[in-house]
Amino acid sequence: MQAEIKENTFDSGVVRINYAEISSSSTPLVLLHGGSNRWQSFNNILPDLAATWHVYAPDYREHGQATWVLGTYRLQDCANDTVAFLQHCLKESTYVFGHSLGGMVALLAAAQFPEGVRAV
C-alpha cells in the first residue's frame, strides 16, 4: 500500500510555505527543490523515499503555491524560510537533501541551524 501525499501550509510570519508530507517512517527527510521548480519535481521518487523516511518537501517563496514577498528573493531568504520550517514543523533533527539551488539552501540552513540538521 502506497503512503498518501498530504499538502499543508506553514506561515513563517513572512511567507506562507506550501509543502508536501508523506510518511511510513518516523525518520525525517526534507527535500529542497531546484530553482524555478516546486515540490512536485520529486513526485517520481516520493513513494520510494516514503518507504524509509518521513518525507517533507517545501516550496520556496515565489515557487509552487508559496506566497510572494515583495523584493526578497535572495538565497539567504530561502535559507531563513527553511530554518523556520525546520524549527516549527519538525519535532527532531532531520536529514536534508537539496537539488541544485536546494543544495545551496540546504548548506546555508545547516550552517545556520546545525542542531536541526543531521546531515546534508
Side-chain angles (χ1 to χ4, degrees):
M1 185 171 152
Q2 192 169 334
E4 177 187 355
I5 299 172
K6 297 177 185 174
E7 273 193 275
N8 300 299
T9 58
F10 161 69
D11 190 335
S12 73
V14 176
V15 63
R16 192 186 77 241
I17 297 169
N18 185 61
Y19 67 97
E21 183 176 356
I22 182 171
S23 175
S24 64
S25 168
S26 62
T27 306
L29 171 67
V30 174
L31 304 177
L32 301 177
H33 61 75
S36 300
N37 229 317
R38 55 194 181 144
W39 75 258
Q40 287 89 343
S41 66
F42 295 113
N43 270 343
N44 290 336
I45 62 172
L46 284 175
D48 291 332
L49 290 173
T52 306
W53 303 90
H54 186 136
V55 181
Y56 298 86
D59 288 330
Y60 298 125
R61 56 177 67 195
E62 101 255 6
H63 292 74
Q65 293 182 31
T67 56
W68 291 67
V69 180
L70 186 61
T72 55
Y73 297 101
R74 299 170 301 146
L75 189 58
Q76 187 61 56
D77 296 319
C78 292
N80 293 343
D81 295 342
T82 300
V83 169
F85 176 79
L86 296 175
Q87 289 175 326
H88 294 25
C89 294
L90 280 77
K91 304 284 189 245
E92 63 184 286
S93 183
T94 187
Y95 296 87
V96 180
F97 169 85
H99 171 256
S100 190
L101 170 67
M104 292 184 286
V105 172
L107 291 173
L108 282 172
Q112 199 170 316
F113 185 48
E115 63 276 16
V117 178
R118 285 190 199 180
V120 174

